[in-house]
Amino acid sequence: MPRAGLDRAAVVGAGAALADEVGLAGLTMGLLADRVGVRTPSLYKHVAGQDDLIRRIAALALEEAADAVGGAVQGRAGSDALAAAARTFRAFVVEHPGRYAATIGQEPSGPDDPLAAAGVRLLDAFTAVLRGYEIEDRDADHALRMLRSLCHGFATLEAAHGFQWSTDIDASFDWLVAFADRGLRAM
Amino acid sequence: MPRAGLDRAAVVGAGAALADEVGLAGLTMGLLADRVGVRTPSLYKHVAGQDDLIRRIAALALEEAADAVGGAVQGRAGSDALAAAARTFRAFVVEHPGRYAATIGQEPSGPDDPLAAAGVRLLDAFTAVLRGYEIEDRDADHALRMLRSLCHGFATLEAAHGFQWSTDIDASFDWLVAFADRGLRAM
DNA sequence: GCTTTTAGCTAACTTCATTAGCCGCACCTG
DNA sequence: CAGGTGCGGCTAATGAAGTTAGCTAAAAGC
């Protein structure tokens, strides 16, 4: 039997892709094994178990999100940067609902946990956006949490099809970003 | 064998309480059966299965949240109503993380689904809050979604221990409510 | 070429959700 | 008050999913 040539990154990447397709709850070790062309127990040579797999998918998702948002903010400032960051984040969550769902409820185990590092990088991208507004130091953390709650809340509700009725969702998001922008500029 | 005197409401209520204690992912049919003093298969006399159970827990959670927020808004208007609604909602989610988590990702099956009715009631409570501001009709849906995203995002992040560093979480929430209030009053 | 490492496999175990089928308590009627 | 009936509880069994143990053979290193 020829070896499949798997490694940890390949398993985690395939797991993330599968989670996006079938939902995080539908991500099963057997399904993932099929996908990568291997029997289920072989996966345990690369990840410690399902919890470990999901944790690594979460770290991957945070890294990708941080890269995307960080890249979108490059060369922009103020309202432009805010809009780019928010739209990029929302697009990432909606296009990758499974891997983003993996990030929810993960507690970083320690300071050198890659999960924590990736989370900090993502927050840093939003912090950079806020530097384009005149915000007092004592408000900075609050403003960051506001922005995060807004983006996280909207994107997760949208990904879960939580917006029922007919008003255009893109229009709502643009409205919401403009609302935040006006509020931040008025400080 | 003496009958336990269960009914559907008792099973769903105990399931919701258990979900709050051990997390939605830890809610198992066996654990719930133990809790209500019955063997696992007996639960199936009251709910169709785990999916049905979680769906009913979600409906219960939305009803309770709608009652709580609706009650908090009674007799208040404007900024007062907004603060009361937001704080009540956040408190509900943080105190009942398991049952609120059950609501995420539930698609109402039809127009007479009690889940949909409860969801509408909760949204109505927030709609009532927005009536205290001078918002044009074409902005109403967007403002409602903004409020919902903000409250949902903050509360779920807090319930998942998503706010890492030390700044006071209560202070952040008050700040965030005041931010939304200023923005809505400035429209 | 020989040894060592290690990715993959089969077989087996455990936990859970779920179904089938039985049994007796509680009510309800005559 | 006796008999019937329905419903809530039970035991036993099935199937899916995660996980572990132990074997084998392919790759990598000497």
Side-chain angles (χ1 to χ4, degrees):
Chain A
M1 53 204 68
R3 292 223 183 170
L6 280 185
D7 63 0
R8 179 171 292 172
V11 169
V12 173
L18 192 52
D20 289 338
E21 287 173 38
V22 303
L24 185 64
L27 174 61
T28 186
M29 298 300 274
L31 205 55
L32 176 55
D34 276 356
R35 176 68 66 101
V36 298
V38 110
R39 300 307 184 105
T40 306
S42 304
L43 294 177
Y44 291 77
K45 298 290 182 179
H46 304 289
V47 293
Q50 201 174 34
D51 289 350
D52 182 52
L53 170 68
I54 290 176
R55 202 175 174 72
R56 290 178 193 279
I57 291 175
L60 173 66
L62 288 179
E63 281 159 16
E64 290 173 345
D67 287 346
V69 174
V73 167
Q74 289 280 350
R76 299 177 195 268
S79 307
D80 254 17
L82 176 64
R87 289 200 187 109
T88 302
F89 178 80
R90 172 194 170 213
F92 179 82
V93 175
V94 171
E95 285 164 23
H96 303 290
R99 69 187 73 188
Y100 186 73
T103 67
I104 298 171
Q106 295 287 349
E107 310 254 7
S109 60
D112 56 346
D113 188 337
L115 192 70
V120 167
R121 273 216 298 137
L122 178 56
L123 283 183
D124 283 348
F126 281 101
T127 304
V129 168
L130 288 177
R131 267 198 292 275
Y133 297 86
E134 291 175 8
I135 297 176
E136 312 223 2
D137 280 357
R138 70 169 188 283
D139 291 334
D141 283 355
H142 301 319
L144 180 57
R145 285 176 172 172
M146 184 272 293
L147 213 52
R148 187 175 168 208
S149 297
L150 206 54
C151 290
H152 172 83
F154 191 96
T156 53
L157 283 171
E158 181 182 4
H161 307 114
F163 295 126
Q164 319 260 344
W165 72 102
S166 50
T167 308
D168 184 49
I169 295 182
D170 290 338
S172 284
F173 191 71
D174 289 345
W175 188 95
L176 174 154
V177 171
F179 180 89
D181 176 59
R182 282 197 305 274
L184 290 170
R185 273 195 279 116
M187 297 196 63
Chain B
M1 52 200 70
R3 294 227 180 165
L6 280 185
D7 63 0
R8 180 171 291 171
V11 169
V12 173
L18 192 51
D20 289 339
E21 287 173 38
V22 302
L24 186 63
L27 175 61
T28 186
M29 298 300 274
L31 205 55
L32 176 55
D34 275 356
R35 177 66 66 99
V36 299
V38 110
R39 298 307 183 104
T40 306
S42 304
L43 295 177
Y44 290 77
K45 299 289 183 177
H46 303 289
V47 293
Q50 201 174 34
D51 289 350
D52 182 53
L53 170 67
I54 291 177
R55 201 175 176 72
R56 290 178 192 279
I57 291 174
L60 173 65
L62 288 180
E63 281 159 17
E64 289 173 346
D67 287 347
V69 175
V73 167
Q74 289 281 352
R76 298 177 197 270
S79 308
D80 255 17
L82 176 64
R87 289 199 188 110
T88 303
F89 178 80
R90 172 194 171 216
F92 179 82
V93 175
V94 171
E95 286 164 23
H96 303 290
R99 69 188 74 188
Y100 186 73
T103 68
I104 298 171
Q106 295 287 350
E107 310 255 6
S109 60
D112 56 346
D113 189 339
L115 192 69
V120 167
R121 273 216 297 138
L122 178 55
L123 283 183
D124 282 349
F126 281 101
T127 303
V129 168
L130 288 176
R131 267 198 291 276
Y133 296 85
E134 291 174 8
I135 297 176
E136 311 225 1
D137 281 356
R138 69 167 189 283
D139 290 335
D141 284 354
H142 301 320
L144 179 57
R145 286 177 172 173
M146 184 272 294
L147 213 51
R148 186 176 167 207
S149 298
L150 206 54
C151 290
H152 172 83
F154 191 96
T156 53
L157 284 171
E158 181 182 5
H161 307 114
F163 294 125
Q164 318 260 341
W165 71 102
S166 50
T167 307
D168 183 49
I169 295 182
D170 291 337
S172 284
F173 191 71
D174 290 344
W175 187 96
L176 174 154
V177 171
F179 180 90
D181 175 59
R182 283 197 304 275
L184 290 171
R185 273 194 281 114
M187 297 196 62

